[in-house]
Amino acid sequence: MRLEGIPVVVTGATGIARAGAERFAAEGAQVFVISIDPAECELLASEVAIAGWAAADLSDEDAAVGAMARAGEALGSIRGLFAVAGGSGRKLGDGPIDEVELAGWDATLALNLTTSFLAGREAVRSMLAAKGGGSVVLVSSVLATSPVADLFSTHAYAAAKGAQISLGRAMAAHYGADGIRVNVVAPGLVATPMSIRAQEDTEIVGFAGVKQPLSDGFLEPADIADAAVFLLSDEARHITGQVLGVDGGWSVSGVIS
């Protein structure tokens, strides 16, 4: 019960977000889930003991503010945020920068960075009002700092994930005196609904087996949730402004595509 009684908001309802909600609830947290897909929220709520959920597009300011307000009402206050919501921008037009149109760039950043900004802002506002501190965990990607040119040339996505790291460190510096910790988890390849394309690509599967030797391939969502439990818990009370790579060895393997 490492998170006993801690009110935590999770953005997203599948993959890493779902694993986080499951682990946090099992550790005693009060969990509120926000996702753009109400069906996924309903499914998660039917299988995991959460305090509530809201369906909202977290890249839309009014929707994000409203959903976070509902979370605060349901939880009483917000002391933890696991900001996972995001996804691949390929269908939005992401790719190598010489092929990316402005609309694809904007849409990918909105999906992956604006969602973190708005959820993070509202969570911090709640924490400041309650004057009880808290912990924010942003989910970036190993691709922010360890790119692979041939297999993962999605430059808007990489830029958004890199910006999450900068945002997290700036927030950590600013709000440390208020008892608010901000850290970033940078996963490697994880078997989630977002990574189905990669999971079905034999070249990427083989590459992952070598690039992520500790996991012998794709990580599981629970591997990332385990790290988030630690960062949200009192065990990490003296840790802020850090980037925790949970990548199976990706960033140090030396393998290139």
Side-chain angles (χ1 to χ4, degrees):
M1 305 297 283
R2 297 155 72 192
L3 302 178
E4 186 170 8
I6 298 177
V8 179
V9 175
V10 177
T11 67
T14 64
I16 293 171
R18 180 186 175 90
E22 291 172 345
R23 285 286 285 113
F24 304 161
E27 292 287 352
Q30 298 171 273
V31 180
F32 191 97
V33 172
I34 303 174
S35 172
I36 196 169
D37 189 337
E40 293 292 352
C41 289
E42 289 180 342
L43 177 61
L44 192 155
S46 71
E47 298 174 349
V48 182
I50 61 175
W53 60 270
D57 178 357
L58 288 171
S59 67
D60 177 271
E61 184 171 27
D62 290 341
V65 170
M68 291 296 288
R70 285 183 59 186
E73 292 169 2
L75 298 173
S77 65
I78 298 172
R79 287 178 52 204
L81 171 66
F82 188 39
V84 186
S88 171
R90 288 179 184 275
K91 293 181 179 179
L92 303 173
D94 193 11
I97 198 166
D98 66 296
E99 300 174 10
V100 179
E101 302 295 334
L102 181 59
W105 172 270
D106 287 343
T108 303
L109 264 64
L111 175 63
N112 290 285
L113 182 58
T114 303
T115 50
S116 291
F117 154 61
L118 289 173
R121 185 189 71 184
E122 297 307 304
V124 167
R125 285 176 173 176
S126 178
M127 293 171 188
L128 289 172
K131 298 181 179 180
S135 176
V136 174
V137 179
L138 305 179
V139 178
S140 179
S141 167
V142 72
L143 292 175
T145 55
S146 299
V148 175
D150 295 339
L151 299 178
F152 300 98
S153 288
T154 45
H155 293 174
Y157 179 82
K161 292 303 179 179
Q164 283 179 315
I165 293 173
S166 296
L167 174 63
R169 289 181 62 82
M171 289 170 64
H174 189 84
Y175 296 108
D178 299 294
I180 298 172
R181 300 183 295 104
V182 185
N183 293 288
V184 181
V185 175
L189 281 177
V190 184
T192 68
M194 190 189 87
S195 68
I196 290 296
R197 179 196 70 87
Q199 293 176 58
E200 294 177 345
D201 186 312
T202 55
E203 183 181 4
I204 293 177
V205 170
F207 175 75
V210 179
K211 187 67 171 174
Q212 300 186 166
L214 296 183
S215 55
D216 192 26
F218 283 73
L219 293 146
E220 293 298 325
D223 297 323
I224 317 306
D226 287 343
V229 169
F230 168 68
L231 291 173
L232 289 168
S233 77
D234 194 51
E235 295 170 8
R237 62 190 177 277
H238 300 308
I239 300 174
T240 193
Q242 304 304 305
V243 181
L244 177 56
V246 186
D247 60 14
W250 174 300
S251 57
V252 293
S253 71
V255 178
I256 61 175
S257 62

